[in-house]
Each structure stands twice: as C-alpha cells, then as structure tokens.
Amino acid sequence: MTGQEKLERGYRRVLACYPRSFRSDSEDEILAVLLATAGEGQQRVRLAEAADLIRGALRMRLRPASRPPRAVRGAVRLVCVGAVAQLAAAVTMIVTAASVRAALARQPDISVALRHQALSLLVFRAIGAVVAVGLWLLMAWALSHGRDAARLVFASFFTLITLTSLVALAQHGATYAAADTIASSAVWAIALVTVVLLFMPQSSRYYREAARQAAHS
Amino acid sequence: MQEATFLILTALADGSQHGYGIIADVRQISDGRVKLRAGTLYTALDRLRADGMVEVDKEEIVEGRLRRYYRLTPAGAKLLAEEAVRLRANATAALRRLNPGLAGGAA
C-alpha cells in the first residue's frame, strides 16, 4: 500500500463518523480536499485534522435539519427538564436503596418472601428510572429533529400518566405521601405544557414540513 | 455569523469555486490568518446549502473524483451584504471612538 492509499484509508475511517446522507453526497469530494491539503509525504491523519473532522460530524449530527419554531424549541427544553428530573429521581432511588435494604434487614418480623419482593421491586424501579432518562433524551432528540411520531408518542405518554394519576388518586388518594403527589403533579404539569406547545399550529406546520422533506430525500 | 461562514460567503461572492479553491481563497482574503480545515468547510457548506444560501453551480470529475463548484444564491448574497454592513458599522464606531479626529469623517 502506498503512503497516499494509507492516508486515504485513514481519512475514510474518520469520515465514517459523518451522517450517511452526507457521506453518500460528499465523501469523495471532502476526501479530495483532505488529500489536496495534506502535507508532502503525509501518511497518517494528523490529530488536528481528526479533531476538526469529528467536531464537524458531531455538529452535523446534533443540529436539526431546519431550525424548529419557538414552540417546538420550548417543548424540547421542557422534555430536557423532564430528563434531568428523571435523572435526579433515579440517583435518589439508587442512593437510598442501600438504606432501605438495611432497614428491611433490621425487621425480624418480615417474611423472607416479602423481603425479596420489596428488594426486587426496588431494583426494578431503579432500572426503570435509568431507562426512563434515556427515553426522555431520545424524545428530546426526536422532537427537535422533526419526527412527527415522537409527538404522538409524547401525547400518548401524557394520556397514560394522566389516567394512571387519576386512578391512583381515586384508589388511595388520602394515603398518598405529600411529596409524591407534588412531584407527580409537577411532572404532569410539565407534560401538559409540552403537549400544548407541540400541537400549536406553528409546531404542526414544522412537523408536516419535516415529514415532507424526509419523504423526498 | 461565525467568521469562517462570513469568509466562505465572501470567497463565493465574485464567482463559483470548488472546496479547495474556497480554502485557498479564504486564506488569501484573511491575509493568511484563517486556515479553513476540510471538516469546518464542509460542515458550514452543508448548513449553508440546507438554508438556501449556497448552491451547487456545476460538477466535474477530476482525476476520478467528483469536484463540485459552489455559488451564492440571491438569499446568500443578501445575507452576506447585511452582515458586511453590520460589521462595517461596528468597525467604524470602534475606530471613531479610538481616534475621534481621523475616523469621524469616514463614510
């Protein structure tokens, strides 16, 4: 393999970070420019070149195809707030798990089966909270990239938490801890505002346009 | 507007150019100060094309590789003109304050 081929292979490896649409459109072109600007006898991708290419790839992947309208940007910001709140909940759950376990161990009158049940519920909820953080972030990404399906998923999610909160309140309204009620009301309020923002006329126009562009490319 | 974007648009202001041509031109316009790298150039071009500021003028194959020439769209020319006027106003204000006697009568 000649030095030039080696260099070209190195560039291609870094260019693999770019979105597929960009690569199929411009990979050969940018490669030609990279080879033209490379130093005499250069055989390896320089660190500064790689850093510049990776930064470009990140920027291309993170930015939406067209700037979403204000309502959508607001909604995305609220979904990010949701992700942060969820993260806080997950961390609290994991941190307090140990003390809950210790408290359970100190209770001699609890049966082994019940203790097991309580512990697995704890693990289950902690894993669920971590997964939920990922889902919130995925939601924020999809909403800011004009995915109409994400809007419907969020609306379904909102309906779901509304219904479960109502059922929970009806079943044991008075016994609910105040902190729990306040936290879930806050989440519900954030989700409500997000849904309203997502279904405003200017938002709907943005999602329709994004779907049309996706169908074309 | 970032300086790289401003200089790319300036490089295209008097005719179409291909990627390497833009890099060389930007270097010359900025007196050797701005050395655009390929990643920066193509990320900016991708954005400018998506926004309708720049478009592909023509394509040719050189040494088996695609070479694209880019040009400003009317919207791109307008954007560049507005930015240039804004920068000039800022520069004039700065010079006037630094040097009341000399820059006061400019423009």
Side-chain angles (χ1 to χ4, degrees):
Chain A
M1 191 162 35
T2 67
Q4 167 100 351
E5 280 166 356
K6 222 165 154 183
L7 182 61
E8 177 173 338
R9 226 168 64 163
Y11 282 139
R12 280 200 194 274
R13 215 169 290 147
V14 185
L15 287 171
C17 305
Y18 280 79
R20 195 174 306 154
S21 58
F22 174 81
R23 272 190 292 153
S24 64
D25 180 71
S26 310
E27 179 166 1
D28 279 0
E29 193 189 340
I30 189 171
L31 189 65
V33 172
L34 283 166
L35 291 172
T37 49
E40 188 84 20
Q42 184 184 334
Q43 292 192 10
R44 277 190 198 167
V45 179
R46 293 200 176 122
L47 194 63
E49 289 173 330
D52 173 66
L53 288 171
I54 290 168
R55 199 173 47 210
L58 275 180
R59 205 175 281 178
M60 231 179 250
R61 281 185 182 277
L62 290 179
R63 79 182 166 209
S66 58
R67 191 172 157 81
R70 262 186 70 163
V72 172
R73 293 205 303 273
V76 169
R77 225 164 287 147
L78 283 177
V79 173
C80 289
V81 170
V84 171
Q86 190 76 66
L87 183 68
V91 168
T92 312
M93 233 178 268
I94 291 165
V95 167
T96 53
S99 63
V100 172
R101 194 171 304 157
L104 274 175
R106 277 196 304 273
Q107 297 284 330
D109 49 341
I110 295 182
S111 73
V112 175
L114 195 62
R115 190 172 298 163
H116 263 285
Q117 205 185 348
L119 280 178
S120 52
L121 185 68
L122 211 64
V123 173
F124 184 72
R125 284 197 61 178
I127 293 173
V130 172
V131 171
V133 174
L135 287 177
W136 279 98
L137 290 176
L138 184 69
M139 217 57 224
W141 179 88
L143 285 172
S144 64
H145 283 68
R147 302 292 159 92
D148 204 12
R151 212 160 57 124
L152 300 179
V153 169
F154 196 88
S156 319
F157 165 73
F158 173 70
T159 314
L160 191 73
I161 61 169
T162 307
L163 291 178
T164 50
S165 314
L166 284 178
V167 169
L169 275 179
Q171 276 180 349
H172 29 225
T175 62
Y176 248 67
D180 216 358
T181 312
I182 292 170
S184 46
S185 310
V187 171
W188 183 79
I190 289 175
L192 173 68
V193 177
T194 309
V195 168
V196 169
L197 287 173
L198 285 177
F199 285 89
M200 277 169 65
Q202 52 161 320
S203 308
S204 296
R205 219 174 303 127
Y206 167 73
Y207 284 104
R208 262 203 311 276
E209 179 64 19
R212 203 181 57 76
Q213 277 181 7
H216 271 264
S217 61
Chain B
M1 187 189 289
Q2 292 198 349
E3 191 184 17
T5 308
F6 181 81
L7 291 173
I8 291 169
L9 292 176
T10 304
L12 297 175
D14 61 354
S16 72
Q17 299 218 48
H18 58 81
Y20 185 71
I22 296 174
I23 292 180
D25 204 11
V26 162
R27 195 167 178 170
Q28 203 204 333
I29 296 167
S30 68
D31 240 348
R33 194 173 46 83
V34 177
K35 296 177 187 119
L36 271 188
R37 287 185 180 279
T40 308
L41 171 66
Y42 280 90
T43 310
L45 277 179
D46 190 62
R47 167 95 283 186
L48 289 167
R49 280 170 73 186
D51 290 347
M53 299 300 156
V54 164
E55 64 191 2
V56 174
D57 181 33
K58 62 177 185 232
E59 297 181 344
E60 52 188 43
I61 305 288
V62 178
E63 289 167 17
R65 287 219 164 77
L66 177 74
R67 179 178 278 181
R68 273 201 191 103
Y69 286 78
Y70 298 93
R71 68 170 172 224
L72 283 189
T73 63
K78 182 165 168 275
L79 179 73
L80 177 63
E82 284 167 1
E83 184 68 7
V85 168
R86 198 181 66 81
L87 289 176
R88 183 174 58 191
N90 285 353
T92 309
L95 291 173
R96 192 183 296 136
R97 292 195 178 192
L98 285 169
N99 217 334
L102 285 177

